[in-house]
Amino acid sequence: MRNVLTSTAAVATAVAALGMAGPADAMSVSVEPSAGDVSFAILATGETKKALFTNEPYEVLVGVSWEDSDTVVETDELFWQLSVDGQVMQTGSEAINGSMLLPDTISVGEVLFESSGVPSVDVLISLEAATLADGSASGATPSVIGSGISLLPLIITLGVALLTKRVELSLYMGIFWGAFIINQFSFVDAFKSSLDTYILGAVANVDNQYVMLFTLFLSGLVGMMEKSGGVFGLTKALIRYAKDSRAAQLLGVLAGCLIFFDDYANALVVGSTMRPIMDDLLVSREKLAFVVDATSAPIAAIFPISSWTGYEAGLIDAELKRIITRHGGVPDGYPETGYGLYLQSIPFRFYPFFMIVFQLVLILAKREYGPMLVAERKVRVTGRRDGGDGGNKASREMNLQNKPKENQPLRAFNMLVPVFFLVFFILFVFIRTGVDSAGEGASASDVFMNADSYSGLLFGTFAASIVAALFYQFQFKDGDNVTFPSIGGIKNAFSGAEEGPLPLLSVYECLDAWINGLLTIFPALIVLSLAWATGDIMTDIGADALFYEVIVNNDVSTALPAITFSMSFVIALCTGTSWGTMAIMFPLVVLPAFDVSNGSKAVVLGTIAAVLSGAVAGDHSSIISDTTVLASTATQCDVWRHFITQLPYALTVLLISLLLGYLPAGTGSYPAGAALVVGAIVVIIVSMAISVPVEHPSGRYDIFTEIYLKISKNPALLQLKEDTASFVSNGDKTVSPA
């Protein structure tokens, strides 16, 4: 082990005034210093780490507290001594009267370790050099590891996810082994630290609590909208326009876009309500599951008011604060809040935008390719109205706790009115906080970029829940008809009558529906808390420092958005969680993106959007993803069939997003708006080129399936090809609902 020690400038902040002595004068001091915690900071970034890398220099910092003393000392310096494994490496002093203030932290040099282990680093401080050996002592025993070991928690998380298909277990195992390394390889300390430092710390974080409460309140509001019949009423209003398979699929996309506020609610409602309609109009369960999955997370991820907004804005805000600290203030052209940066990153979310265009092209053209083409032909040609081979025969009708009563009036306005108030309240708080922060006369963009997104989402969702409950209270129903409030209806409500005029939802029904709504999101909050803790452990163990070094030393600024998109995709693919991927990736890449690009806003926005879009893409492509499973459950589609038919579509859009979105975004070849236009055009061209009509006259497949058919000589596919040609040649192409 070799130690390199050099003197560095002190880090000083105020705790007590010393008087008016000049900077070179000795003073009469009647206080005594006490050494506090010893920490280690990266020289390049100034960030402290709990695990240190071999062959990397770190600045050693020690906290100092001051107590009154009966002994008077004439001094203008604070003396220190630094030792490693009992060997004195360097002594020095810190001027303490130049600023007229006593320091609460001082720097005692730099330290570098050539080999891994658990060295003992000790610091002594005193106001007199002669008494330094008997001064106040403090120390630390950091874990020194090879830089590659910092990736071990991430590798363990991915490996356990692949083996067990359980994201909760995989995230905790990553947290535990990260804590094991940080806590000097002690299993007992790792167990304690994983719980009280990381998981509890993630839950106790105020910003994280805002996100959790907002998500809970929105889920409660969704629960009431479901119970009132409003959500199903809107879907019922749309269904009347479903005349054929194409119209039914388009309505599924439209319904998914209208239920923008939560991906879970989107998948459950659209999947369960559109399933019987699409079955009747000969749409396969695989295609229904794809429509549901492709309009749940992508819509929620890019809409400025959704259950994703607060979470994404919170992660971005944490990184923006790091950038502001590094830059010494808000960089030119940057907003002051994470929500402002969130809004500016929306045009860079190429994958969600391209996925929407992609599915619309295939639906309008009635074309498919790969396993989806086979699934659609099996239903269309044979006239099956059970969803085809993808129908999950073992699944039962979804028993939603908030499903409306049998005689409940299904009215679209019972969803639209609460959503209106939701948007109104959130925007109201946004504007109020934005004006307060930006000042009177500020532009609309400045107001929104300086708005308090956490407060807007928290207060807006809860206020909308209260208004929705009152709205349902003052609506009355008689059978399946909505009537005006009446004295008799009020009496019936309090008497517990089940017939006659009654409130649409009683007070107890509103409360039960709201609480049931909270319960639906609880599993996601568990994953969310573990994801936050995983992000913290990755930072403490130094994985962000490793990425920073690799990015800065190899000058990959132009490729950083593309690299980030690919990494986020892989992590989400393996773990099945888009939110967990975001929590892991943001601390690793955003600050390095700012530094290596000299503050280029395009690169930073491209990197932020790459994390968000790559997480969604990986989530789409993962068989263990919560939305993959949820979309399959809601549509009663076999999970494997949904996964295998959606994967080629997700990979197609992923490649286009990477090549025409994130690579140009990093190089600055053209702005985000141009990338969206060019990418959308290419999506249309590629999807039309590789797909074929479901009802093709010759029955031929797409080029990939044809190649597979030549190799495998699959008799079932050959027979389906002949049946398709016969079906089209007979002119039997008009299918009416049963």
Side-chain angles (χ1 to χ4, degrees), residues 412-462:
F413 61 76
N414 281 320
M415 172 186 160
L416 297 177
V417 171
V419 168
F420 167 79
F421 280 106
L422 172 68
V423 176
F424 171 79
F425 285 127
I426 291 176
L427 290 179
F428 177 79
V429 179
F430 276 6
I431 294 172
R432 284 292 301 272
T433 58
V435 170
D436 291 343
S437 179
E440 296 290 342
S443 65
S445 60
D446 287 338
V447 168
F448 271 90
M449 285 192 296
N450 289 281
D452 186 346
S453 60
Y454 283 170
S455 295
L457 294 169
L458 181 70
F459 299 141
T461 49
F462 194 70

Side-chain angles (χ1 to χ4, degrees), residues 20-21 80 99 134 150 160 176 187 208 230 289 300 302 315 355 362 425 550 708 730:
M20 300 303 294
W80 52 262
S99 63
D134 297 321
S150 65
V160 175
F176 176 83
F187 283 103
N208 293 349
I302 62 177
L315 293 174
M355 177 56 75
L362 293 182
F425 285 127
V550 171
Y708 169 76
N730 291 334

Side-chain angles (χ1 to χ4, degrees), residues 432-649:
R432 284 292 301 272
T433 58
V435 170
D436 291 343
S437 179
E440 296 290 342
S443 65
S445 60
D446 287 338
V447 168
F448 271 90
M449 285 192 296
N450 289 281
D452 186 346
S453 60
Y454 283 170
S455 295
L457 294 169
L458 181 70
F459 299 141
T461 49
F462 194 70
S465 296
I466 295 173
V467 170
L470 294 174
F471 180 64
Y472 299 142
Q473 293 295 300
F474 288 98
Q475 278 187 72
F476 281 71
K477 62 180 180 180
D478 191 353
D480 59 355
N481 297 316
V482 176
T483 65
F484 290 102
S486 65
I487 300 298
I490 296 174
K491 291 181 179 179
N492 289 339
F494 283 99
S495 66
E498 297 183 359
E499 296 182 356
L502 291 168
L504 188 70
L505 291 179
S506 69
V507 174
Y508 302 107
E509 288 174 328
C510 283
L511 186 58
D512 286 344
W514 197 79
I515 293 175
N516 284 332
L518 306 187
L519 295 177
T520 62
I521 203 67
F522 185 74
L525 293 182
I526 295 175
V527 174
L528 186 57
S529 300
L530 292 172
W532 278 322
T534 302
D536 291 341
I537 204 82
M538 294 293 291
T539 300
D540 282 353
I541 204 172
D544 60 334
L546 176 62
F547 276 82
Y548 184 94
E549 181 181 346
V550 171
I551 290 169
V552 172
N553 292 344
N554 292 280
D555 190 21
V556 295
S557 60
T558 56
L560 189 55
I563 294 172
T564 301
F565 179 73
S566 302
M567 288 177 54
S568 299
F569 167 76
V570 171
I571 293 174
L573 176 70
C574 296
T575 62
T577 168
S578 52
W579 283 24
T581 299
M582 296 174 197
I584 293 170
M585 285 297 297
F586 270 118
L588 302 182
V589 296
V590 176
L591 185 60
F594 177 84
D595 285 350
V596 77
S597 66
N598 295 317
S600 170
K601 194 174 179 182
V603 172
V604 172
L605 289 175
T607 302
I608 288 173
V611 173
L612 303 176
S613 296
V616 173
D619 187 74
H620 267 182
S621 305
S622 176
I623 194 171
I624 62 173
S625 161
D626 52 356
T627 52
T628 298
V629 174
L630 196 63
S632 301
T633 304
T635 58
Q636 292 189 14
C637 178
D638 179 77
V639 175
W640 173 256
R641 292 295 305 169
H642 171 43
F643 164 73
I644 202 65
T645 52
Q646 178 169 269
L647 183 61
Y649 288 2

Side-chain angles (χ1 to χ4, degrees), residues 151-162 170 173-175 177-178:
L151 296 178
L152 185 61
L154 178 58
I155 294 171
I156 289 175
T157 298
L158 300 182
V160 175
L162 289 173
S170 63
M173 292 303 295
I175 296 168
W177 286 105

